Amino acid sequence: MRYAFISDVHSNLEAFSAVLKKIDGSAIDEIVCLGDIVGYNANPNECVEIIKTRNIKCIMGNHDSRAAGLKEPDDFNYLARDAILWTRKQLKEEYLTFLKTLPRKLYIENNKIVVVHGSVNSTDDYILSLSDVADNFRMMGEESGVNICFFGHTHVRIGYKEANANIYPFYENKIMIEDSVRYLINPGSVGQPRDGDPGASFLIYDTNVKTMEFYRVEYDREKTCEKIVRAGLHIELAERLTVGW
Ligand code: ZN
């Protein structure tokens, strides 16, 4: 199987379209989305529609749950909160329902891979520090047979390996997957990267040749920024896209 893992699209139609174009030219069997289809940017309906019509496997992110009204965005900063309240007003009824019914967790590849948004057991928690990473490898250990966890939420492309009780991050663009090693992988964000590289980020995992490769693609950022301004969303949301923060 050749999987493409995408995360944190956040209503950025131009970035999403550019990533899908690259994926469509890469002989991918299945696309898996790690949540946060909406929030921040200006095309929520279009992005949900693509996920739905292309039957992309998808879980719920923290912005999806708040846009759908399952929770109020009270714990968000003003940029995220105001964008969620705007998104809620824009979303068609059928897409609100679609977001509400997304699962929180998915198991694929004969339960060897678990797919989550924030952390192994939460939509909202972050995996940031090495101690978070250690906690999550421990939680993965409670799920028999799982040796790879894909997560999103931080918008930062990163991978961690655990072998012989040692944990270390890796930064290579392409790695070989070993059966005796466990992995926690964040493919980065499609629609709002925060790792200093403004290119839309995603990952391809080929289970036949056991390789994982991170990709960045350029997109029409100017158009996305214009739409943010025209929609009356905060200008900071456009500014951050240009620097990858
Ligand atoms: Zn997000």
Side-chain angles (χ1 to χ4, degrees), residues 8 10 36 63 153 155:
D8 297 275
H10 283 302
D36 275 3
H63 287 251
H153 197 30
H155 300 205

Side-chain angles (χ1 to χ4, degrees), residues 29-185:
D29 302 302
E30 179 118 77
I31 306 174
V32 182
C33 176
L34 316 179
D36 275 3
I37 309 167
V38 301
Y40 293 122
N41 301 307
N43 284 116
N45 283 309
E46 293 78 358
C47 291
V48 178
E49 184 182 3
I50 291 171
I51 295 274
K52 215 178 158 207
T53 54
R54 291 194 51 151
N55 271 322
I56 293 173
K57 275 205 170 112
C58 188
I59 57 167
M60 188 188 296
N62 58 321
H63 287 251
D64 302 324
S65 78
R66 283 156 182 85
L70 294 177
K71 220 173 177 180
E72 288 309 309
D74 300 333
D75 54 338
F76 279 15
N77 66 39
Y78 76 99
L79 290 174
R81 187 184 56 241
D82 291 352
I84 281 298
L85 298 177
W86 178 87
T87 300
R88 232 185 235 173
K89 276 191 248 152
Q90 307 300 314
L91 277 170
K92 293 181 188 169
E93 199 59 44
E94 59 166 315
Y95 296 155
L96 283 168
T97 307
F98 177 78
L99 291 179
K100 244 178 239 174
T101 53
L102 288 172
R104 301 268 178 170
K105 210 174 194 178
L106 270 181
Y107 295 88
I108 56 171
E109 200 54 24
N110 300 319
N111 297 331
K112 279 188 282 194
I113 299 175
V114 65
V115 174
V116 298
H117 184 66
S119 73
V120 170
N121 288 325
S122 162
T123 303
D124 285 55
D125 289 352
Y126 288 90
I127 301 177
L128 290 167
S129 66
L130 270 183
S131 92
D132 298 337
V133 173
D135 285 347
N136 277 272
F137 273 123
R138 189 179 39 72
M139 288 188 253
M140 269 171 78
E142 289 160 9
E143 314 218 12
S144 75
V146 171
N147 58 4
I148 302 176
C149 171
F150 284 96
F151 67 100
H153 197 30
T154 62
H155 300 205
V156 172
R157 181 216 117 151
I158 187 77
Y160 300 94
K161 297 182 189 183
E162 187 224 50
N164 307 317
N166 293 314
I167 294 169
Y168 40 98
F170 62 88
Y171 302 97
E172 300 97 317
N173 278 334
K174 190 173 184 177
I175 60 158
M176 289 295 299
I177 298 301
E178 299 165 63
D179 292 335
S180 59
V181 177
R182 296 195 303 159
Y183 300 86
L184 268 165
I185 310 279

